[in-house]
């Protein structure tokens, strides 16, 4: 076997030119993910009838099923899926490339995604529903340095980090689990987690869900840190005042029963696991409701095997 003529630089140039030729002839394709760029070979078209149900469970028409079978690719390296024809990532399930391009040209409501009766492009287009108008009035609306609009609330000293640039806008709110974060003005708590402002506000308004006082509602749903944000200071001050009263009463009860260990943190943990308090609807003060029922576990049944 003879060596490849030329230096390493020439070999690299020839290899790159050969790859470019294959890419140009559409024999090979490159992943559209900018962070990947993996090169792979195009598979032969399948002659099997296309699946009418998309990977996400969506029922497709025959036309859209054929387009998905022909054009939807998933990179084996970065695991992203995309359209091989229009290079859209992720793949536009349920639409052809032309339909997807046309849908992008339509103006949709920023919050409910309803198609509006005009064309053009606007990040702040909102429909006339009362809920969307209410959300628009609560929203910040400032233009960030990245060019996207702020998805936070109005009159904040510091804008919310861009939800579009950090790819968090499409994530569901971890309180309602119904809408993504971009569907309503959001706030970032001191712990760093982001939720819809109205979801936290409603949670603080409803407070505990049973008759027994509990302060889980006033904690972050992801890390259990107390809710801290300037827009909730007034509400949280009342909640913390009530929490202090309950803790003081619990510690007094613990001392009365002679169970105090002398350490406040340890005593609070013991009191919270031992006592329950309720709220008087007349004076709005907590009162002692007795000891919690002891928890128990169902004993594991013994199983026997017999051999003949």
């Amino acid at each position: 076997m003879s060596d490849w003529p030329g230096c390493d630089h020439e070999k690299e140039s020839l290899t790159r030119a050969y790859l470019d030729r294959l890419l140009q002839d559409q024999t090979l394709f490159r992943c559209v993910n900018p962070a990947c760029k993996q090169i792979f070979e195009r598979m032969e078209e399948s002659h099997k009838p296309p699946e009418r149900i998309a990977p996400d469970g969506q029922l497709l028409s025959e036309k859209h099923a054929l387009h998905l079978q022909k054009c939807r690719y998933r990179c084996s390296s970065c695991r992203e899926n995309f359209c091989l024809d229009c290079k859209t990532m992720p793949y536009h399930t349920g639409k052809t490339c032309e339909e997807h391009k046309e849908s992008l040209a339509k103006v949709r409501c920023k919050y409910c995604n309803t198609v509006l009766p005009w064309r053009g492009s606007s990040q702040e287009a909102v429909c006339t529903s009362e809920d969307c108008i209410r959300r628009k009035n609560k929203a910040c609306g400032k233009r960030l340095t990245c060019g996207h609009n702020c998805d936070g609330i109005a009159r904040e000293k510091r804008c919310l980090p861009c939800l579009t640039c950090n790819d968090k806008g499409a994530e569901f709110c971890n309180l309602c689990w119904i809408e993504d974060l971009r569907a309503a003005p959001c706030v970032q708590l001191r712990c760093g987690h982001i939720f819809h402002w109205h979801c936290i506000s409603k949670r603080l308004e409803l407070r505990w869900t049973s008759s027994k006082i509990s302060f889980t509602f006033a904690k972050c749903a992801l890390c259990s840190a107390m809710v801290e944000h300037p827009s909730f200071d007034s509400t949280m001050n009342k909640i913390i005042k009530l929490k202090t009263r309950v803790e003081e009463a619990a510690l007094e009860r613990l001392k009365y029963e002679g169970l105090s260990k002398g350490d406040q943190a340890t005593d609070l943990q013991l009191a919270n696991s031992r006592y329950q308090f309720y709220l008087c609807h007349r004076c709005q003060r907590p009162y002692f409701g007795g000891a919690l029922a002891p928890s128990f576990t169902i004993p594991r049944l013994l199983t026997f095997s017999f051999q003949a």
Side-chain angles (χ1 to χ4, degrees):
M1 174 183 283
S2 60
D3 293 335
W4 185 306
C7 63
D8 292 338
H9 177 71
E10 291 177 343
K11 296 177 186 178
E12 183 179 350
S13 299
L14 289 171
T15 303
R16 189 182 299 110
Y18 182 64
L19 281 176
D20 291 342
R21 176 68 180 275
L22 293 176
L23 289 169
Q24 187 177 2
D25 294 342
Q26 296 189 352
T27 304
L28 299 180
F29 291 90
R30 195 186 299 273
C31 176
V32 301
N33 184 0
C36 179
K37 296 295 185 180
Q38 176 72 23
I39 296 176
F40 54 94
E41 185 178 4
R42 183 167 189 168
M43 304 294 291
E44 293 184 3
E45 293 187 15
S46 174
H47 298 289
K48 296 180 180 180
E51 292 286 342
R52 296 292 294 274
I53 299 179
D56 60 358
Q58 182 179 345
L59 184 63
L60 303 175
S61 66
E62 184 177 357
K63 177 179 71 173
H64 296 142
L66 284 170
H67 191 279
L68 183 144
Q69 184 185 63
K70 177 184 176 183
C71 300
R72 183 184 184 275
Y73 273 71
R74 186 179 185 185
C75 178
S76 59
S77 179
C78 67
R79 314 303 294 175
E80 295 286 351
N81 66 81
F82 57 91
C83 177
L84 199 57
D85 279 358
C86 66
K87 305 298 186 292
T88 298
M89 184 182 75
Y91 175 80
H92 41 79
T93 305
K95 300 185 185 74
T96 62
C97 296
E98 292 75 16
E99 291 170 345
H100 176 64
K101 184 178 180 180
E102 184 179 350
S103 68
L104 293 178
K106 295 178 179 178
V107 177
R108 295 180 178 271
C109 175
K110 173 181 173 66
Y111 300 118
C112 67
N113 207 33
T114 300
V115 177
L116 301 177
W118 64 81
R119 302 181 71 84
S121 61
S122 175
Q123 295 185 40
E124 288 300 305
V126 176
C127 69
T128 55
S129 72
E130 292 183 6
D131 190 36
C132 292
I133 294 296
R134 193 181 306 113
R135 295 184 182 191
K136 180 182 179 181
N137 293 336
K138 186 65 182 178
C140 173
K142 294 179 182 177
R143 185 65 61 90
L144 303 175
T145 55
C146 62
H148 301 117
N149 288 332
C150 176
D151 290 302
I153 61 174
R155 294 181 293 277
E156 279 193 287
K157 292 182 179 180
R158 185 178 180 182
C159 281
L160 186 75
C162 182
L163 298 182
T164 303
C165 292
N166 60 20
D167 296 328
K168 288 186 176 294
E171 295 180 3
F172 280 120
C173 170
N174 284 274
L175 286 178
C176 64
W177 288 102
I178 297 175
E179 298 176 307
D180 58 41
L181 290 174
R182 276 197 301 257
C186 298
V187 291
Q188 185 176 38
L189 303 182
R190 186 174 181 180
C191 60
H193 295 120
I194 299 174
F195 304 94
H196 290 148
W197 180 88
H198 73 275
C199 288
I200 300 179
S201 181
K202 190 68 174 179
R203 181 177 165 101
L204 295 178
E205 178 187 348
L206 295 176
R207 304 199 288 185
W208 49 89
T209 56
S210 63
S211 57
K212 172 182 171 291
I213 295 177
S214 170
F215 295 98
T216 306
F217 72 94
K219 297 179 180 180
C220 172
L222 294 176
C223 69
S224 296
M226 293 297 288
V227 170
E228 288 190 59
H229 189 272
S231 63
F232 302 119
D233 281 350
S234 177
T235 303
M236 285 301 299
N237 287 339
K238 297 177 183 178
I239 293 171
I240 291 173
K241 186 177 180 180
L242 176 63
K243 185 173 181 289
T244 302
R245 286 179 176 177
V246 171
E247 289 175 350
E248 289 174 350
L251 290 174
E252 287 181 8
R253 184 70 191 185
L254 203 67
K255 291 178 181 179
Y256 175 78
E257 294 185 1
L259 299 175
S260 176
K261 304 295 183 182
D263 179 70
Q264 186 174 357
T266 304
D267 287 353
L268 274 177
Q269 187 176 3
L270 177 60
N272 289 334
S273 63
R274 185 177 179 85
Y275 306 131
Q276 54 189 348
F277 286 83
Y278 300 90
L279 189 68
C280 177
H281 293 284
R282 290 185 178 181
C283 65
Q284 293 296 302
R285 293 180 67 87
Y287 64 89
F288 178 63
L292 289 168
S295 59
F296 66 94
T297 56
I298 300 176
R300 189 175 176 184
L301 297 177
L302 298 177
T303 57
F304 302 90
S305 60
F306 299 92
Q307 294 182 355

